[in-house]
Amino acid sequence: MNWIKKNLPGILVCLAIATPAWLLGKALPVIGGAVFAILFGMFITLFWEEEKKGAASGIKWTSKYILQTAVVLLGFGMDLQVVVKTGRQSLPIIICTISTSLLLAWLLHKSLNIPGKISTLIGVGSSICGGSAIAATAPVIDADDDEVAQAISVIFFFNVLAAILFPIFGKLLGFDQTSGTSFGIFAGTAINDTSSVTAAAATWDSMFHLGSQTLDKAVTVKLTRTLAIIPITLALGYFTAKKEQRGNSFSLKRAFPAFILYFVLASLITTFALANGVNANVFLPLKELSKFMIIMAMAAIGLNSNIVKLVKSGAKPLLLGASCWAGITAVSLLLQRLMGLW
């Protein structure tokens, strides 16, 4: 009862912000509900700082535990059989683009003195799957709400650019216009967020009357990329725990966070169920709930973020995001050319 009294006000505030943000995200998928939720939260907290104290505990709980639960539920969108099948063609590109982004993030973190956690979040978000990867990584490395908000903002900016520019870019580069395979792989490996991957691929299909060829390919490749959340977060958890250990205080639970292991379990359950004839639509409500819970957690993060601080420190993270985006795009194009995919 004490827990409810302490946390319910903050949870309800986050829910109230998340609902219109979710609806706006449906109407404008290129922007997405998570970005709307962060912006609403930031705006509200400018005028609600003093009164927010009674809701602070619930807001903090939402930003941590609702976020972790959302990541677990993401696993119900993972069919590992499809991932393995698609990976035979796209896996080399996926591995190289992820490695490029993480390496660039580390180099610029060192050379520009960008805070390590922001660098990690932007590097992981750029290379894997945008907001979902940031949501999974943030609790593992103990990133604070300002760092998460800043990383999400950077990723969003380049998502919108990619959705608008990549179809034009693909046409100029001479991608095959009779099949969606080459541009689908390009969009699936070089654009970080599912909403923008979908927007760019659907535009290509529309431009050249390809039905849903490009969209199907791009989304499947993107699904394969998403699986990289598992090894990346486990590795980050291990190194973070090792870095912070004192004497014999190394914690296996700290190194391998339980919610990531539950994510893996959810993926295995989905794969087993689909392999045994269960209709994929059964998992749609859980996938939708996961998306809503991420939006709700982003509302909490927005409420706990200092917009003035974000604006003042915005130039270097934007440069980092641009570098990761350019590096991923260049490597994806180079490898597709070498592999004869376009």
Side-chain angles (χ1 to χ4, degrees):
M1 197 68 187
N2 286 336
W3 182 91
I4 294 175
K5 185 177 179 181
K6 182 180 178 182
N7 292 293
L8 188 60
I11 294 170
L12 290 176
V13 169
C14 295
L15 180 63
I17 295 171
T19 302
W22 178 67
L23 293 172
L24 283 169
K26 290 281 188 184
L28 297 167
V30 173
I31 298 175
V35 173
F36 282 119
I38 283 181
L39 293 175
F40 290 164
M42 286 179 175
F43 179 77
I44 289 169
T45 206
L46 287 174
F47 306 97
W48 193 48
E49 192 62 42
E50 190 63 32
E51 296 85 350
K52 194 174 69 177
K53 290 178 181 178
S57 179
I59 292 169
K60 186 176 180 180
W61 188 89
T62 300
S63 71
K64 182 176 181 179
Y65 293 105
I66 293 292
L67 186 58
Q68 292 182 9
T69 304
V71 172
V72 174
L73 294 178
L74 279 175
F76 290 105
M78 301 289 293
D79 182 352
L80 301 182
Q81 286 184 318
V82 173
V83 168
V84 170
K85 189 182 296 184
T86 304
R88 294 182 187 136
Q89 186 180 39
S90 61
L91 191 59
I93 302 173
I94 290 169
I95 291 173
C96 289
T97 51
I98 289 174
S99 301
T100 298
S101 180
L102 294 176
L103 179 61
L104 285 170
W106 182 78
L107 289 173
L108 290 174
H109 153 62
K110 292 292 186 182
S111 60
L112 297 178
N113 294 317
I114 300 172
K117 291 178 183 179
I118 290 179
S119 299
T120 300
L121 292 175
I122 293 174
V124 169
S126 298
S127 62
I128 300 176
C129 54
S132 299
I134 291 170
T137 304
V140 173
I141 63 172
D142 287 333
D144 65 32
D145 289 344
D146 279 339
E147 290 164 334
V148 174
Q150 191 156 42
I152 290 280
S153 301
V154 169
I155 294 299
F156 155 69
F157 178 72
F158 292 105
N159 277 343
V160 174
L161 284 183
I164 295 169
L165 297 179
F166 271 39
I168 301 168
F169 195 36
K171 186 176 181 181
L172 291 174
L173 289 172
F175 275 103
D176 184 3
Q177 299 174 8
T178 61
S179 165
T181 298
S182 57
F183 187 81
I185 292 175
F186 176 52
T189 54
I191 303 175
N192 59 58
D193 193 81
T194 303
S195 60
S196 293
V197 170
T198 301
T203 299
W204 189 264
D205 280 332
S206 178
M207 286 168 64
F208 303 108
H209 311 288
L210 297 175
S212 64
Q213 287 184 44
T214 313
L215 182 60
D216 292 344
K217 189 68 176 181
V219 170
T220 308
V221 171
K222 182 66 178 60
L223 185 68
T224 308
R225 269 175 79 192
T226 302
L227 193 62
I229 286 177
I230 298 169
I232 293 293
T233 50
L234 290 178
L236 286 170
Y238 175 78
F239 287 116
T240 301
K242 289 289 286 183
K243 183 179 179 181
E244 294 178 357
Q245 71 175 332
R246 297 291 182 270
N248 296 320
S249 64
F250 178 77
S251 166
L252 187 64
K253 183 179 179 181
R254 178 72 180 84
F256 303 107
F259 76 96
I260 294 297
L261 300 182
Y262 294 143
F263 169 83
V264 176
L265 180 61
S267 302
L268 292 173
I269 290 170
T270 303
T271 303
F272 179 79
L274 295 178
N276 285 276
V278 175
N279 193 308
N281 290 335
V282 170
F283 296 105
L284 287 178
L286 291 174
K287 290 163 65 177
E288 199 62 32
L289 178 60
S290 170
K291 293 175 184 176
F292 182 80
M293 291 176 82
I294 286 178
I295 292 169
M296 194 171 164
M298 292 304 119
I301 285 167
L303 287 167
N304 282 334
S305 298
N306 185 328
I307 193 169
V308 176
K309 183 179 175 183
L310 290 181
V311 170
K312 285 182 178 178
S313 60
K316 288 183 179 180
L318 269 175
L319 176 59
L320 173 58
S323 301
C324 291
W325 187 52
I328 289 170
T329 302
V331 169
S332 177
L333 289 171
L334 176 62
L335 287 175
Q336 284 190 79
R337 176 62 79 182
L338 292 175
M339 294 168 68
L341 296 175
W342 67 281

